[in-house]
Amino acid sequence: MKTLFPTSLFLLFGIMSFGQQIKGSELLDKAIKYHDPQHKWKTFNGTFHVTMETPNSSNRNSKISINLPEEHFYLKAKKDTVVTEYDVKKEACTITLNGKTDLSNQVLKTHNLSCERAYLYKNYYTYLYGLPMKLKDEGTIINDVIEQKTFKGKAFLVLQVTYDASVGKDVWYFYFNPKTYAMEVYQFYKTDDTGSIKKDSGEYILLTDEEIVNGIKMPKTRAWYYNKDDAYLGTDILN
């Protein structure tokens, strides 16, 4: 008597078999080949715009320029009538508010502006829009054991990433399409003093659609949610 398996079950077994053969470093290489087929990231010099939508708040529209060879980062963000600019050239930092650079300490404090925040934005945007290529950076620890997970009804190959203590303590999971190796979800958790994951911490980010920026396939839409209760935080839209 012939036993017929559902197609989804057949595909799941196929993914599991493949996932057991491929290593984490190999999966990362395949994902980078998908997102950055011409190896453009190391010399990236480009500008893009991002609209951030958050519940019960007006949009924030940002212009972001990243020049990796020159170590130059520029961010211009407008929310309502307030326009802030951060210009970071290597170790030099310039802050502008509504066209003015001569800002008192009180004005800087009122608008939460600082060079420390400028470097934070630089690292934030360079990391997120440089994924998965940024996972090749020094201090990144790639788990060679690949997991097969179903998340929001889709099957993925999942790469676990941790970092040297000098870099960060969060534990990250990157979800790749098992057919194309496109990055479609990532997720992070905080850790306690023992290094154990705090299950009620962190966020997950759903990635949909793509934009090609300087030859690199970047996720167009990033929707952010809390891990603990799936509460929606906001959406970043690349345009």
Side-chain angles (χ1 to χ4, degrees), residues 124-143:
Y124 172 83
Y125 283 113
T126 303
Y127 181 78
L128 290 186
Y129 286 91
L131 288 171
M133 294 71 72
K134 288 289 290 179
L135 300 181
K136 289 285 188 177
D137 284 3
E138 186 176 351
T140 308
I141 303 169
I142 304 297
N143 190 332

Side-chain angles (χ1 to χ4, degrees), residues 88 90-93 115-124:
V88 179
K90 296 186 178 179
E91 300 302 319
C93 163
C115 282
E116 182 180 5
R117 194 167 183 83
Y119 300 134
L120 178 66
Y121 276 124
K122 176 185 176 182
N123 293 335
Y124 172 83

Side-chain angles (χ1 to χ4, degrees), residues 59 61 70 79 91 93 97 104-105 157 161 180 188 221:
N59 291 351
N61 297 298
E70 298 293 330
K79 184 177 175 65
E91 300 302 319
C93 163
L97 175 65
S104 68
N105 289 335
L157 297 176
V161 173
T180 65
F188 69 91
T221 304

